[in-house]
Amino acid sequence: MGKVTGFMEIDRQVAKYQPASDRIRHFREFIIPMSDPEVTKQAARCMDCGIPYCHGPTGCPVHNQIPDWNDLVYNNRWEEAIRNLHSTNNFPEFTGRVCPAPCEEACTLNLEDAPVTIKTIEQAIADKAYELGFIAPQPATVKTGKKVAVIGSGPAGLAAAQQLARAGHEVHVYERESKAGGLLRYGIPDFKMEKNFIDRRVEQMTGEGVTFHYGANIGVDLPVEQLVADHDAVVYCGGSETPRPAGIPGGELHGVYDAMPYLVQQNRRIGRENIDSVAWAAEPILAGAKHVVVVGGGDTASDCVGTAFRQGAVKVTQLDIRPQPPEKEDKLAIWPFWATKMRTSSSQAEGAVREFQVATLEFVGEDGQLTGVRCCEVDERRQPIAGTEFIIKADLAFIAIGFSGPMKDGVLTELEGKLGVNVDRRGSSNVIANDRDYKTSLDKLWAAGDVRRGQSLVVWAIREGRQAAQAIDEALMGQSLLPR
Ligand SMILES: Cc1cc2nc3c(=O)[nH]c(=O)nc-3n(C[C@H](O)[C@H](O)[C@H](O)COP(=O)(O)OP(=O)(O)OC[C@H]3O[C@@H](n4cnc5c(N)ncnc54)[C@H](O)[C@@H]3O)c2cc1C
Ligand code: SF4
């Protein structure tokens, strides 16, 4: 513990943002990094409280050893801090940017509403480590002669690949897209995380012996059966990208889209990639000078809001069928768990109009073009309240109500139909494997990340990739020195 009285003397500070009026003029990250002295001061607030709920079961999913690295940062021991952080998390610069930080909810100082700024410190350690040249390839000194294939290069696939390569295996990552990163690259907008951070890790992993095969759609370009035959182990990290069907009448009108094609297009535009190849969208979708309605209340909906503002939308309204949550949670009933309370994302804070307890009844239009969204208020049981109908003017509407499981085409069709792999039959089609050994019902095939657990978080994908790698290493070698 750095400073025994730190938590009494120092107020919580979080990294500041550029003002909304400035940041909506560009797509770059807008968080103003904290100075080193401020980061070390904030690290001094950690009480090392004995039972570190922050990295316990309700806190950080990868069990980052938060009090330990807070102490190291307070004492300016940045190299040891990144070594400690890397011992649990392959990509802290990703989570330091996009993680919703359940660790901070579980921090003992959150009982007073002033948790340690864990996420900001995590990002600072990773960014500083790059700045000081502490992050370099760590190739295995002994090779095992075993060959492992990873399907998908999202955070789960990348974490699995890095761990397996460091254990000495020959690792091949097969990725359908032209670049690595999965939803980190093509879903999450640049203003939340710029993509050079992924490129740097790909470079590091290439230096560790990982081979990336891009434009390889497994199950279409190459059968999974072939991949399984050619490798000692295959880990399927294909994500969960099928949009949940909304079933809202009028969804066929021009101007109504699922959220993903919109976000993928914009990410490709910024990455100077071809946008014609984005599935489900035959034309550029742009919100400039338009009235935009976003249906849904999660991360994906928020990302549509921020993207629309940056493209010059006149007005963005976000519809949430859930009741407006309370401003504050009942700490003694909820802590150290994640609390349902009123949260405003940086995108919503850019000027979105938020409507709660509102159902979307129909998209309405003229001559095939969307002109508005017909809505009504609902009661606590989500039943329409008579006489409350209203129409919101809309030129563009995005549906962002979640994901129902992996894409059915290609790999999943082959796995389920031809190879008889067990998938969840309760509507999601997630591949069935437990979270101890991540093994599917098919010999030599493992599964990790969203494809197994359903659409989740980057930090959970990293955890699953790491743990699956450890399970595979153990299965191939009889024992494993990889951490879980
Ligand atoms: C818009 C949006 C915003 C989000 N924001 C956040 C956030 O702020 N914070 C957070 O923690 N989480 C966020 N998430 C969730 C997070 O991105 C995912 O949980 C995480 O990326 C899952 O990682 P994964 O590796 O399991 O899958 P993915 O990231 O989906 O990666 C799967 C990869 O597999 C590839 N693939 C699939 N099938 C094949 C095949 N047959 N052959 C070859 N390659 C294949 C895909 O192209 C993709 O690259 C967000 C999700 C979305 C959609
Ligand atoms: S990965 Fe997420 S939960 Fe873990 S320490 Fe970082 S911000 Fe907190």
Side-chain angles (χ1 to χ4, degrees):
M1 175 182 189
K3 188 159 201 268
V4 178
T5 50
F7 71 99
M8 294 193 290
E9 292 167 20
I10 303 162
D11 288 336
R12 171 181 158 94
Q13 297 290 333
V14 288
K16 305 264 181 310
Y17 294 167
Q18 287 174 8
S21 54
D22 292 348
R23 65 183 191 246
I24 60 164
R25 291 170 197 276
H26 60 80
F27 278 88
R28 295 184 307 279
E29 288 183 9
F30 52 78
I31 292 181
I32 303 165
M34 265 189 192
S35 65
D36 290 353
E38 189 54 55
V39 174
T40 50
K41 236 168 110 180
Q42 290 301 310
R45 294 187 64 244
C46 179
M47 301 188 292
D48 195 6
C49 49
I51 302 176
Y53 288 94
C54 56
H55 70 82
T58 65
C60 176
V62 288
H63 306 307
N64 277 342
Q65 300 172 129
I66 296 158
D68 296 20
W69 41 257
N70 277 332
D71 176 60
L72 291 166
V73 167
Y74 177 68
N75 288 298
N76 267 308
R77 290 157 61 184
W78 294 95
E79 190 166 9
E80 285 161 87
I82 189 66
R83 204 178 309 133
N84 186 308
L85 189 45
H86 273 154
S87 73
T88 54
N89 186 353
N90 298 63
F91 313 120
E93 69 280 21
F94 300 170
T95 45
R97 286 176 166 77
V98 302
C99 187
C103 53
E104 294 189 16
E105 293 284 307
C107 175
T108 306
L109 285 177
N110 189 35
L111 284 165
E112 295 273 336
D113 265 331
V116 175
T117 51
I118 299 169
K119 172 175 160 163
T120 307
I121 297 169
E122 182 179 35
Q123 180 183 336
I125 297 171
D127 289 351
K128 188 90 185 153
Y130 267 113
E131 187 190 313
L132 297 177
F134 297 149
I135 300 182
Q138 299 172 32
T141 45
V142 179
K143 300 288 181 193
T144 62
K146 305 279 184 195
K147 199 171 162 191
V148 183
V150 179
I151 306 174
S153 65
L158 290 177
Q162 185 162 61
Q163 294 296 93
L164 287 161
R166 287 180 177 177
H169 305 301
E170 179 187 331
V171 179
H172 292 263
V173 177
Y174 294 86
E175 171 52 57
R176 187 182 56 201
E177 302 296 336
S178 48
K179 291 185 183 174
L183 290 176
L184 266 176
R185 184 182 295 274
Y186 294 110
I188 295 176
D190 270 59
F191 54 83
K192 273 166 62 181
M193 194 187 101
E194 289 175 15
K195 310 311 174 196
N196 59 314
F197 298 109
I198 307 169
D199 300 336
R200 285 198 308 205
R201 285 294 179 182
V202 168
E203 203 179 309
Q204 182 195 31
M205 289 170 64
T206 306
E208 291 168 352
V210 177
T211 308
F212 287 86
H213 305 264
Y214 297 115
N217 192 353
I218 301 303
V220 176
D221 302 327
L222 182 68
V224 198
E225 201 173 11
Q226 178 78 50
L227 214 58
V228 173
D230 290 349
H231 294 79
D232 297 292
V234 176
V235 53
Y236 179 29
C237 301
S240 167
E241 283 183 70
T242 309
R244 180 167 294 143
I248 303 168
E252 72 290 348
L253 287 168
H254 188 243
V256 181
Y257 300 94
D258 280 317
M260 281 311 288
Y262 179 54
L263 296 173
V264 174
Q265 263 195 9
Q266 185 55 34
N267 276 321
R268 282 184 185 274
R269 212 173 267 126
I270 294 171
R272 298 183 192 284
E273 287 192 58
N274 179 6
I275 63 164
D276 298 342
S277 59
V278 177
W280 323 296
E283 63 205 341
I285 314 166
L286 292 163
K290 292 186 178 156
H291 285 72
V292 177
V293 170
V294 181
V295 180
D299 269 342
T300 307
S302 248
D303 291 347
C304 290
V305 170
T307 302
F309 278 130
R310 280 161 183 74
Q311 290 181 345
V314 179
K315 183 178 179 189
V316 183
T317 308
Q318 195 182 349
L319 306 178
D320 198 331
I321 199 165
R322 298 168 299 182
Q324 180 163 342
E327 286 296 328
K328 259 178 84 68
E329 73 274 38
D330 176 354
K331 291 277 185 213
L332 294 182
I334 305 289
W335 181 90
F337 292 91
W338 182 262
T340 301
K341 64 180 173 187
M342 187 65 179
R343 296 174 195 267
T344 303
S345 71
S346 58
S347 293
Q348 288 161 339
E350 286 159 6
V353 177
R354 293 172 75 184
E355 301 277 2
F356 288 96
Q357 268 183 286
V358 163
T360 309
L361 299 176
E362 184 186 9
F363 298 109
V364 292
E366 282 168 22
D367 302 326
Q369 171 64 46
L370 175 77
T371 56
V373 182
R374 192 163 64 84
C375 310
C376 74
E377 292 173 21
V378 295
D379 62 21
E380 302 285 326
R381 290 170 299 116
R382 300 189 179 183
Q383 295 306 308
I385 300 174
T388 62
E389 280 191 21
F390 60 100
I391 289 188
I392 302 174
K393 177 178 163 59
D395 312 298
L396 255 188
F398 298 116
I399 304 170
I401 57 166
F403 299 85
S404 66
M407 302 296 271
K408 306 269 182 307
D409 297 344
V411 68
L412 195 68
T413 309
E414 186 189 340
L415 283 178
E416 195 186 5
K418 189 167 172 209
L419 303 176
V421 170
N422 291 342
V423 302
D424 192 339
R425 285 249 152 259
R426 291 165 301 179
S428 72
S429 300
N430 295 338
V431 174
I432 295 180
N434 68 36
D435 64 359
R436 292 300 308 168
D437 64 12
Y438 293 86
K439 184 73 185 51
T440 70
S441 57
L442 184 71
D443 191 32
K444 300 206 294 183
L445 184 73
W446 282 256
D450 281 4
V451 79
R452 192 198 71 82
R453 66 183 292 117
Q455 179 80 224
S456 181
L457 294 174
V458 169
V459 64
W460 277 104
I462 295 173
R463 168 188 161 128
E464 296 220 346
R466 289 173 64 85
Q467 294 194 342
Q470 194 269 351
I472 292 169
D473 189 37
E474 195 171 285
L476 295 182
M477 307 304 294
Q479 59 177 7
S480 176
L481 293 177
L482 288 176
R484 265 178 76 83

